[in-house]
Amino acid sequence: MLGHSLMINPNRVLDALPALVWTAGPDGRVNFVNRWCSEFTGLSTESGSRRPWRVVIHPHDRRASFEQWRSVRASGQAGAIEARVRRQDGQYRMFLIQASPVRDDAGQIVQWCGLGQEIEDANHGDIDGRLMGPEFQSIVDNIAVPAAVIAPNGELEHLNQLSLEFFGRSLQELKGWRASDIVHPDDLAETVIYQANAHREGREYNIENRHRRADGVYRWHNVRGFPLRDSQGQILRWIHLRMDIDERKRAELELARSEQKLQSIVSTIPTLAWSTRLDGSADFINQHYLDYLGLSHEQARGWAWQTVVHPDDLEDLTMRWLTVLESGQPGEAEARLRRHDGTYRWFLCRAHPMRDETGRVVKWYGTNTDIDDLKRTERELRRQKALMGQAQRLSQTGSLWWKPSTGEVSLSDQGYRILEYPRTFEPSLAMFQERCHPDDIDIVWDVALRMVREGGNLELEFRLLMPSGVVKHIHVVAEKIEITAGEPKFIAALTDVSERKRSAQALERSEAFLAEGQHLARMGNFSWSPRTGDLAWSRPLYRIFEVSTDTVLTLDLIKSRLHPDDAPLHDEIVRRMRRGVAHLEYKHRILAPDESVKHVHMVAHRSRCESGDLRYIGAIRDVTQEHLAEEALSRARAQLTRVARVSSLGALTASIAHEVNQPLAGIVTNASACLRMLAIEPPDLEGARETARRTIRDGNRAAEVIVRLRALFSNRASTIELIDLSEVAREVIALLRGELSGARVILRVEFADNLPLVSGDRVQLQQVILNLLRNAAEAMNEVENRPRLLTIRTACGEDDHVCLLVRDTGIGLPAEESERIFDPFYTTKRDGMGMGLSVSRSIIESHNGRLWAERNDLGRGALVAFSVPASRQSPPADPNCTDSP
Ligand code: ADP
């Protein structure tokens, strides 16, 4: 409070006080003196607040007073200082200066405030008299601590009341005492010597020793001796002031003793212990620590501990140590320390500050605990835990621990993930209740409660309904563990089987799909291992073979189901598979129990299964429908071929009539001539013979035409033979000659020599050639402005093929869609049927050949040609015969 008002208006309040008033900063520097002080000392306020004010203190008191001032400041408590202060007139006056701290709200000293009062006349002139006189004694008596006045010769002159009370004796009694009577024997020698020296040298002294109290108890005192001098500096008296420091001293000694004891204990305790100075350098290292390091105490002291710290840990540890030192608070750190054998082990280093009674840190104590094994175990444990976590994550399996008696629950990270709860959530069964699918919750509780009641194990699959609406399938296996009797715990593994469930369902679906698909496609699969004989069929295959699905599959069973004519084929298939043929494709028949025949198409591939065994994977398709359709088609095609042929018969009639008519006319003419020759006398026998021969020749010619016609138009089955295409073409030309000449077509024939034979149906090929020639002729029907030129050519083609080309100078092929002419029923003719080329193409393709059409490269017209493979049995082709179509 005073401090505050001082700060508000120091002068007004304080100047009025008839005392020495001053203030000083926390550092002890005086920053203000009041007017009374200035007037008394003659120092201005300004100069008084600076250093020089101290010159007003008596030189002999200067040191002591400053020391007192310093210790008052150090204590932080109010205290008194005695000093003689010089008055303006040069006289010194004794002042008792009281100083008290002014603190802020946080208790920090912000200022010192002092009040000095004159306590005696320190007049040098009469000091001697005064020091002897009763006035002086009364001053001594009023000193607040035990005080003694001692003559320069060491004789006790006076004791104040507090001293007398302390010793419990009268002055007279005490005067006869020696130092040994009042000073503790252990302190005696030191006291006497020290005191004697000080007295001899005439200097102040300050000593701590024990004095015996009236009750015989020794108490520690701080004895201060001050010489009192006359104006010449002669010592007149000594004043002894005794401050009782017993409690502090005892505490100090206790501390020292306990520290010693501590060190001796620390030396023996089986841990690495140490102590350091305030700067952090070691001053003590116990034997165990030294043994560990393999160093002597001398080697390990100071900062040598840094050399045994693992290089990777040194910086961290040093930094940590410095922060601990600075904080003054206990601290710890982990680091590796090198053992005497060079191996490093992990230690937990703990430091603890030791404080004196003022709370000041005076020392640091610490221990290093070997945590290497712990650390290793911890690491191992951490690894195990991480591994476990990883495994749980990978297997989508969480674990749960439940103690029904207390309701305690513990859940692994993966468990949290499955239930979709944050890890911070306190684990409880309520989490399950919350997430369990409403339709499953009753059954889950039933089973769980039964497990608790009956103590059995549990295995259950149920659903969770996530907040997002996603449904999870959970598989739980729980088992009871009972470590303490009557306190069962349950351990459970929760696996998220949603994915598995979904894929199983998908598999089921796709299997059903596949089966349905196979059923629709009338197809089934099989797999067969030639080595183990392991045979598996898909469901639809049982249906195809018309055996029930529980039938044991064997090769014999399959064979028994085949058409008897195909049994050898079956044997061949099995043989080839056993040989390891890569790919097989067969068509065979199955004879159903109702005697109906099924046609199947089998395809099988060799593959290798996981064990490395050969295995055939195959598909069998019921192609009965296709087979029947194909049969019907080929029947229809044959009929069509005939129809086509017959239709061309009509068109050929004129030509045929001409062909037959000519020989017939010849026969009639020759027969008439013959009769005439026989009728003349003498009959011309030679002439008749000749005409009869011609008659026979013409008859044969007519018969030949008929034979050819019959061959071409008879309804016969196809027969394959070796054929010379040129010859076949020649026969067709013979039939068409009349028609062609009637149509004013110029026929050019270019047949290759030594053309290889082809194997085929003579009549069918003739039909094709006939068709091509007639189309060519018809295409030129309307051509008037150029020669109607028809070229027929045979040649050796590429790849051992033989070609026949028909070229005309007719109207040509339809502009863009030349391929359309091969479509059935495509015709541009008024009475055309549009079947000729379509039938021709199927005939040529059945001969493994090709029929095509293109624009005539000679200008107007078309080229229609076919090529069929040369027969292997043909005589070798003429090397000259290499021109291609
Ligand atoms: P059709 O002779 O009964 O018409 P085709 O199948 O033999 O039946 O011929 C189909 C069509 O192809 C003919 O109507 C004609 O338009 C065309 N065609 C065939 N050959 C030739 C050719 N050499 N030149 C031009 N067009 C042709």
Side-chain angles (χ1 to χ4, degrees):
M1 282 296 122
L2 181 61
H4 266 262
S5 53
L6 282 180
M7 276 147 78
I8 295 161
N9 195 345
N11 294 339
R12 244 191 38 204
V13 183
L14 302 171
D15 286 353
L17 282 178
L20 222 158
V21 178
W22 53 272
T23 61
D27 59 351
R29 283 181 62 164
V30 173
N31 50 32
F32 166 80
V33 292
N34 69 344
R35 176 134 40 93
W36 192 87
C37 181
S38 325
E39 281 166 6
F40 183 84
T41 58
L43 288 173
S44 69
T45 308
E46 280 89 302
S47 59
S49 65
R50 284 201 303 270
R51 267 296 194 244
W53 80 274
R54 54 158 70 194
V55 302
V56 300
I57 292 188
H58 193 287
H60 287 149
D61 296 348
R62 247 174 235 164
R63 218 177 123 200
S65 64
F66 284 141
E67 228 149 69
Q68 282 172 345
W69 173 217
R70 225 191 329 270
S71 73
V72 165
R73 276 207 329 271
S75 75
Q77 305 295 326
I81 305 147
E82 272 177 279
R84 279 163 290 178
V85 178
R86 194 181 62 203
R87 213 166 45 191
Q88 268 201 67
D89 59 6
Q91 285 197 11
Y92 284 92
R93 313 293 296 176
M94 183 58 95
F95 274 80
L96 180 66
I97 304 163
Q98 283 159 312
S100 43
V102 178
R103 295 174 185 275
D104 64 8
D105 295 343
Q108 208 71 32
I109 295 172
V110 292
Q111 195 161 24
W112 287 90
C113 183
L115 185 78
Q117 273 177 303
E118 196 178 342
I119 50 170
E120 57 130 3
D121 254 353
N123 190 319
H124 284 291
D126 62 357
I127 189 166
D128 301 359
R130 281 166 166 274
L131 283 176
M132 307 302 171
E135 202 183 332
F136 174 66
Q137 286 185 1
S138 89
I139 292 169
V140 174
D141 285 343
N142 284 324
I143 294 176
V145 295
V149 181
I150 291 159
N153 60 6
E155 200 180 297
L156 178 67
E157 258 182 13
H158 181 72
L159 287 170
N160 70 354
Q161 196 51 39
L162 288 173
S163 278
L164 295 171
E165 278 168 19
F166 179 83
F167 294 116
R169 294 280 194 270
S170 69
L171 181 64
Q172 281 317 312
E173 281 173 307
L174 288 167
K175 274 186 171 174
W177 282 19
R178 290 185 310 270
S180 59
D181 295 325
I182 51 170
V183 177
H184 193 282
D186 292 349
D187 305 335
L188 190 61
E190 199 185 345
T191 307
V192 171
I193 294 167
Y194 188 78
Q195 227 164 351
N197 281 343
H199 278 216
R200 196 178 59 246
E201 290 162 18
R203 61 173 163 81
E204 283 176 20
Y205 63 85
N206 188 343
I207 186 170
E208 288 179 356
N209 56 17
R210 281 159 287 185
H211 284 80
R212 198 175 61 203
R213 207 165 55 185
D215 57 3
V217 174
Y218 285 97
R219 286 187 73 81
W220 280 97
H221 286 89
N222 176 10
V223 181
R224 285 162 171 244
F226 306 96
L228 299 176
R229 296 167 194 270
D230 64 12
S231 45
Q232 275 76 49
Q234 200 68 39
I235 295 174
L236 299 172
R237 296 286 182 277
W238 286 85
I239 302 274
H240 279 196
L241 300 175
R242 273 188 299 113
M243 259 62 101
D244 189 316
I245 54 161
D246 200 67
E247 260 153 50
R248 172 171 68 83
K249 195 71 185 176
R250 270 177 216 288
E252 257 175 37
L253 288 172
E254 189 51 42
L255 194 72
R257 253 199 311 279
S258 62
E259 194 176 323
Q260 226 168 19
K261 212 160 91 195
L262 196 68
Q263 286 207 353
S264 67
I265 294 169
V266 162
S267 295
T268 53
I269 52 169
T271 184
L272 311 190
W274 45 266
S275 68
T276 71
R277 300 183 196 92
L278 289 183
D279 66 353
S281 62
D283 59 358
F284 169 75
I285 286 158
N286 79 345
Q287 198 51 45
H288 284 286
Y289 200 172
L290 294 172
D291 290 348
Y292 176 85
L293 300 176
L295 297 175
S296 72
H297 200 267
E298 295 315 306
Q299 289 171 313
R301 264 164 56 167
W303 289 93
W305 59 267
Q306 287 191 318
T307 61
V308 301
V309 179
H310 193 285
D312 294 349
D313 303 340
L314 183 60
E315 194 181 330
D316 281 354
L317 186 68
T318 309
M319 291 314 293
R320 177 89 188 100
W321 182 214
L322 292 177
T323 33
V324 167
L325 285 176
E326 206 174 322
S327 74
Q329 297 302 319
E332 58 180 51
E334 289 180 1
R336 280 160 290 181
L337 302 180
R338 192 179 57 224
R339 202 163 57 182
H340 54 84
D341 61 2
T343 57
Y344 283 94
R345 291 181 69 81
W346 278 100
F347 280 88
L348 172 68
C349 310
R350 278 207 176 104
H352 212 277
M354 188 163 119
R355 299 169 188 280
D356 64 9
E357 75 268 32
T358 66
R360 209 161 45 93
V361 176
V362 291
K363 213 170 169 55
W364 287 88
Y365 278 96
T367 55
N368 296 351
T369 316
D370 188 333
I371 52 163
D372 203 67
D373 295 338
L374 197 78
K375 199 111 176 150
R376 227 185 286 278
T377 325
E378 206 177 86
R379 225 180 7 241
E380 185 57 26
L381 220 70
R382 255 205 311 274
R383 233 193 44 221
Q384 297 271 6
K385 204 174 159 204
L387 241 112
M388 185 84 159
Q390 188 87 344
Q392 289 207 345
R393 209 168 34 250
L394 288 176
S395 64
Q396 308 257 19
T397 301
S399 52
L400 169 84
W401 176 98
W402 176 37
K403 190 172 172 189
S405 62
T406 60
E408 279 172 89
V409 170
S410 162
L411 189 66
S412 74
D413 285 357
Q414 186 59 27
Y416 272 93
R417 246 172 259 138
I418 291 174
L419 292 177
E420 295 183 13
Y421 271 100
R423 195 69 182 89
T424 46
F425 216 83
E426 185 69 28
S428 71
L429 286 191
M431 289 163 77
F432 285 89
Q433 255 170 322
E434 183 91 350
R435 292 285 191 254
C436 195
H437 195 288
D439 296 349
D440 292 357
I441 192 146
D442 291 342
I443 175 89
V444 171
W445 273 117
D446 272 5
V447 175
L449 290 177
R450 195 164 36 188
M451 172 180 78
V452 174
R453 210 171 39 241
E454 293 166 14
N457 295 338
L458 168 155
E459 183 159 3
L460 180 68
E461 208 167 300
F462 63 97
R463 287 165 300 167
L464 298 178
L465 182 61
M466 293 298 131
S468 62
V470 169
V471 173
K472 284 185 181 176
H473 293 262
I474 302 297
H475 181 248
V476 179
V477 198
E479 211 177 285
K480 185 171 102 167
I481 44 168
E482 195 162 5
I483 298 162
T484 327
E487 287 207 341
K489 291 167 194 156
F490 292 89
I491 257 185
L494 324 166
T495 313
D496 185 347
V497 291
S498 312
E499 204 51 48
R500 217 182 295 163
K501 196 101 184 163
R502 265 191 284 279
S503 48
Q505 277 168 354
L507 193 70
E508 241 169 59
R509 253 199 319 274
S510 74
E511 263 176 9
F513 243 43
L514 194 70
E516 190 60 19
Q518 290 198 346
H519 176 63
L520 288 175
R522 289 197 206 87
M523 194 183 90
N525 291 109
F526 69 86
S527 85
W528 183 60
S529 158
R531 195 180 67 80
T532 62
D534 180 28
L535 179 63
W537 277 6
S538 75
R539 222 159 241 284
L541 203 53
Y542 287 89
R543 221 173 291 152
I544 292 172
F545 275 79
E546 294 189 27
V547 290
S548 72
T549 47
D550 50 11
T551 314
V552 180
L553 299 173
T554 61
L555 292 181
D556 287 341
L557 173 90
I558 298 170
K559 193 172 175 181
S560 73
R561 283 291 156 140
L562 297 190
H563 191 285
D565 294 350
D566 291 346
L569 196 64
H570 174 262
D571 294 340
E572 186 192 318
I573 293 170
V574 172
R575 221 175 17 251
R576 291 188 68 197
M577 282 189 177
R578 289 216 162 102
R579 269 213 321 271
V581 173
H583 178 82
L584 293 100
E585 189 164 354
Y586 282 97
K587 274 186 179 159
H588 56 76
R589 286 161 295 173
I590 292 171
L591 194 59
D594 63 357
E595 300 280 304
S596 65
V597 174
K598 279 185 188 172
H599 291 262
V600 295
H601 181 192
M602 184 215 71
V603 186
H605 273 289
R606 188 188 60 192
S607 69
R608 217 168 267 281
C609 58
E610 274 167 28
S611 64
D613 249 1
L614 272 188
R615 175 168 283 276
Y616 280 90
I617 307 288
I620 293 179
R621 200 158 71 84
D622 181 347
V623 292
T624 311
Q625 299 292 333
E626 288 96 317
H627 188 83
L628 293 178
E630 215 163 85
E631 265 183 0
L633 191 70
S634 78
R635 262 200 311 275
R637 195 181 290 131
Q639 250 160 5
L640 207 62
T641 311
R642 219 176 63 243
V643 169
R645 254 184 289 146
V646 172
S647 73
S648 48
L649 181 65
L652 280 175
T653 320
S655 169
I656 293 162
H658 176 76
E659 284 300 300
V660 180
N661 252 349
Q662 257 191 340
L664 282 181
I667 288 169
V668 171
T669 314
N670 284 319
S672 307
C674 185
L675 283 178
R676 256 195 328 275
M677 284 178 192
L678 288 175
I680 59 169
E681 277 300 326
D684 182 356
L685 288 177
E686 197 40 48
R689 240 181 250 123
E690 178 54 33
T691 51
R693 269 200 292 273
R694 281 194 202 137
T695 307
I696 292 165
R697 186 200 64 195
D698 287 345
N700 281 344
R701 222 161 74 193
E704 249 175 61
V705 172
I706 301 301
V707 167
R708 269 193 220 119
L709 277 172
R710 271 190 53 196
L712 193 55
F713 296 103
S714 68
N715 189 10
R716 59 183 258 294
S718 93
T719 46
I720 304 296
E721 55 188 309
L722 282 178
I723 297 166
D724 178 356
L725 265 192
S726 305
E727 187 190 309
V728 171
R730 227 173 258 124
E731 284 166 5
V732 176
I733 291 167
L735 279 176
L736 274 180
R737 202 175 295 275
E739 189 180 329
L740 294 178
S741 63
R744 288 185 285 123
V745 171
I746 306 160
L747 180 71
R748 188 184 291 164
V749 178
E750 299 174 2
F751 288 152
D753 295 329
N754 295 328
L755 196 68
L757 300 181
V758 298
S759 76
D761 186 310
R762 169 182 287 268
V763 174
Q764 285 181 0
L765 291 176
Q766 277 182 341
Q767 189 180 345
V768 172
I769 299 167
L770 180 73
N771 199 27
L772 299 190
L773 291 176
R774 288 196 57 230
N775 276 343
E778 279 166 4
M780 296 187 287
N781 265 349
E782 275 143 47
V783 171
E784 297 295 348
N785 55 355
R786 56 180 182 268
R788 298 178 181 179
L789 186 62
L790 193 161
T791 312
I792 178 163
R793 212 177 131 213
T794 54
C796 297
E798 289 165 348
D799 298 335
D800 288 337
H801 272 61
V802 179
C803 313
L804 186 140
L805 306 96
V806 176
R807 212 187 289 274
D808 63 62
T809 54
I811 52 170
L813 299 173
E816 250 127 56
E817 312 160 275
S818 60
E819 265 300 297
R820 281 191 63 197
I821 61 170
F822 297 101
D823 289 350
F825 307 113
Y826 175 83
T827 182
T828 52
K829 297 166 194 167
R830 202 150 38 86
D831 51 354
M833 210 163 67
M835 284 307 297
L837 286 179
S838 159
V839 168
S840 297
R841 186 170 253 186
S842 71
I843 289 173
I844 294 301
E845 282 174 358
S846 75
H847 281 76
N848 299 318
R850 193 166 73 86
L851 173 69
W852 72 95
E854 55 189 68
R855 285 183 48 196
N856 187 359
D857 54 1
L858 296 176
R860 294 281 184 74
L863 167 74
V864 185
F866 68 83
S867 79
V868 283
S871 164
R872 296 221 181 83
Q873 296 156 29
S874 301
D878 185 348
N880 301 324
C881 172
T882 51
D883 59 347
S884 56

